[in-house]
Amino acid sequence: SACVVWETPPYPLPAREEECAVLDSHLNACLAGNGKGGGGLYVSGGPGTGKTCSIRMAAQAWRCRDPEIVIMEVNCMELPQRSVTGLLQHIARKALRQQGEDVAAHHEGVRGASTASPALRSCQGLAAQAVVRLAQLSSRVILIVDEVDQLFRHQGLRTAAGGSGSLDLLFSLHRLMGAPALAMIAIANAVDLLDRGTMPVTYGLCRTLLFKPYSVDQLRSIAKARLAAAGESGAAAEQSMGRVALELRVRQVAKRSGDCRPVVYMCEQALFQASLDREEAPTQAETAPTTPGPSTVQASEMTPEQRALKRRRSDPSTNDPLSAIEQLPLEQQVLLCALASAEGETVQFLDLCSRFKEMCKKLRQDTSLASKQAVNSALSALEQRGLLGLHGTGKRSAGRNRSAICPPNGSKTVVELAVSCAAVRQAVAKANAMLETCLIGGA
């Protein structure tokens, strides 16, 4: 294949060895021994700092050692009801799906119990049901709950930490009767979620782990590890990028956000181009004319290798930046919605921040994602994917054809889509049905 993908990064992840050691220690404390353990870990940090990837790989490493371990992952953004009650119902239903039992009958039973009981008893009852279902799957379970801060967006500060429908209950699941050895890992961007509200999470109930933004040295080590993993293609990619360009990009990303995704994407693009060049070299040698004649080769005269290369060159999934929208983080998809709902392909930076904030409110997202620094980071990642360009309109501009770094106040920066608004709207709606309502309302 011409497209080289870092399908299996090494574990521990490059530049996250210390954090992975903490994850291993937590899983060992919860799952090793007589199977009566359990505990909670709250993992926080900004987007692109390796939280979810590290946790998934740590869990997979443990399952390789012990195939009896069951891993269940839930993203709270996908819950129909974003609350602790909704999460517990989802865990019970997902466990039933894995067992192949009748989910609908269970759902009716849970709904009936919820309406017939007070809120406190209902929440505790659902928690008891959830741990029993997990125990039926295995005696050792790793439960990963991503975007856990979404459960407390609109419940008020009083229940944001302590209380019946709170993180206290989630981190206490392993203590309930009939619970398996349960390693609970909750993930969120907010560092202070455990301390919010009038009743913070009970001290000692869970451990915490912070993934700080990547430094220059860490981003450099990630790029080198990615290129080294590709062998000869990696060496060719590094040569084509140039060490100076790579170093400048690493320093730029470290200064802006510490998000590793723009650096990894830059390496992926260089690897893809390097592998295409390697495939193209022998075909170019074969088609070099030895006698006078037409300089172009007709499709009927092409070898199978030449036709395959031509298909790779013309494949929309490899050349069209819109094909990557489905894999983008949610906040970047929402940002594209804000851009696509504008009247034209260009939007002032400050206007975009306002549009993005309104869409975050509409989707019940954290409005801190619309801060200038967070928007800068997201725009940088989208620019690397070829979806947009950043242009300065003042003295700080480096020219229209060169990417401009947003100034601190963003007032001199214009964001320009590289493709039409209609095409972006169509691609975003196809990638995430939840965003279609925003596009309809904003178009």
Side-chain angles (χ1 to χ4, degrees):
S1 173
C3 185
V4 182
V5 180
W6 205 5
E7 295 178 350
T8 309
Y11 184 80
L13 290 183
R16 288 301 184 208
E17 292 82 4
E18 293 182 7
E19 290 82 356
C20 290
V22 174
L23 291 172
D24 288 336
S25 173
H26 172 67
L27 294 176
N28 182 68
C30 295
L31 303 174
N34 58 8
K36 299 296 183 182
L41 178 67
Y42 179 73
V43 180
S44 60
T49 52
K51 304 185 299 296
T52 303
C53 185
S54 296
I55 292 167
R56 286 173 177 167
M57 295 195 67
Q60 291 293 340
W62 270 83
R63 186 160 64 178
C64 288
R65 302 176 207 170
D66 183 1
E68 297 297 319
I69 289 177
V70 169
I71 302 172
M72 179 178 290
E73 182 174 351
V74 179
N75 190 315
C76 295
M77 283 296 304
E78 300 172 358
L79 297 177
Q81 179 185 350
R82 294 181 193 171
S83 65
V84 174
T85 299
L87 172 62
L88 294 172
Q89 289 175 335
H90 184 81
I91 291 172
R93 288 197 295 268
K94 192 167 185 177
L96 282 171
R97 289 192 194 100
Q98 292 184 222
Q99 290 176 298
E101 298 182 13
D102 188 355
V103 180
H106 169 70
H107 178 62
E108 291 299 324
V110 169
R111 184 166 56 187
S114 300
T115 56
S117 305
L120 175 60
R121 181 178 299 175
S122 172
C123 206
Q124 290 179 337
L126 288 171
Q129 273 187 323
V131 296
V132 168
R133 297 298 181 187
L134 290 174
Q136 291 172 350
L137 285 177
S138 175
S139 60
R140 294 177 298 281
V141 178
I142 300 174
L143 177 60
I144 303 171
V145 183
D146 205 353
E147 305 282 2
V148 71
D149 50 342
Q150 294 295 320
L151 302 181
F152 310 103
R153 292 281 176 228
H154 302 283
Q155 295 185 17
L157 291 177
R158 184 172 297 276
T159 58
S164 61
S166 71
L167 286 173
D168 257 18
L169 180 60
L170 293 181
F171 288 125
S172 301
L173 290 179
H174 67 283
R175 298 180 176 179
L176 299 180
M177 183 177 297
L182 180 63
M184 162 78 174
I185 304 178
I187 312 171
N189 292 339
V191 178
D192 63 340
L193 184 64
L194 302 186
D195 300 321
R196 292 180 185 175
T198 58
M199 295 178 292
V201 169
T202 303
Y203 178 78
L205 188 59
C206 71
R207 301 169 66 186
T208 60
L209 176 60
L210 174 63
F211 278 67
K212 296 180 180 179
Y214 286 106
S215 65
V216 172
D217 291 338
Q218 289 175 321
L219 289 172
R220 188 186 299 116
S221 68
I222 291 171
K224 289 183 178 298
R226 175 65 192 101
L227 295 172
E232 293 181 4
S233 294
E238 184 174 6
Q239 184 177 2
S240 66
M241 283 190 295
R243 293 184 179 181
V244 174
L246 179 59
E247 182 68 17
L248 288 174
R249 184 58 180 155
V250 163
R251 291 181 178 276
Q252 181 189 58
V253 172
K255 184 177 181 180
R256 281 190 180 183
S257 62
D259 184 336
C260 71
R261 290 172 295 187
V263 173
V264 173
Y265 183 74
M266 180 182 183
C267 294
E268 295 290 346
Q269 289 290 88
L271 286 168
F272 175 69
Q273 187 59 49
S275 58
L276 279 181
D277 291 343
R278 289 184 64 187
E279 286 189 3
E280 190 176 30
T283 59
Q284 286 179 338
E286 291 173 7
T287 57
T290 57
T291 58
S295 59
T296 59
V297 180
Q298 299 298 324
S300 59
E301 301 173 357
M302 289 183 177
T303 65
E305 292 78 10
Q306 291 171 332
R307 286 194 291 270
L309 181 60
K310 184 176 181 180
R311 284 194 298 270
R312 292 293 298 174
R313 290 289 193 183
S314 60
D315 186 356
S317 65
T318 58
N319 293 305
D320 185 4
L322 294 174
S323 63
I325 288 181
E326 189 173 357
Q327 284 76 43
L328 292 177
L330 179 63
E331 65 268 17
Q332 293 181 20
Q333 292 179 346
V334 177
L335 187 59
L336 285 174
C337 278
L339 275 167
S341 64
E343 294 180 358
E345 276 74 27
T346 59
V347 182
Q348 292 287 339
F349 177 78
L350 295 181
D351 183 30
L352 177 60
C353 289
S354 300
R355 288 173 173 271
F356 185 38
K357 186 173 184 179
E358 289 302 315
M359 286 197 171
C360 286
K361 290 179 180 179
K362 187 174 182 179
L363 293 168
R364 300 180 181 179
Q365 293 290 298
D366 186 357
T367 54
S368 65
L369 293 173
S371 67
K372 293 175 184 176
Q373 182 177 3
V375 174
N376 252 339
S377 175
L379 289 174
S380 175
L382 293 173
E383 183 185 27
Q384 284 296 310
R385 291 184 177 272
L387 287 163
L388 54 83
L390 303 176
H391 309 298
T393 58
K395 294 181 180 180
R396 299 175 65 119
S397 172
R400 182 172 180 82
N401 294 326
R402 188 179 301 175
S403 298
I405 300 176
C406 298
N409 62 6
S411 60
K412 301 293 185 180
T413 303
V414 173
V415 184
E416 182 179 10
L417 282 173
V419 291
S420 68
C421 290
V424 172
R425 285 195 292 267
Q426 183 178 3
V428 170
K430 182 180 179 181
N432 193 331
M434 181 180 68
L435 301 179
E436 192 169 2
T437 54
C438 289
L439 292 167
I440 295 173

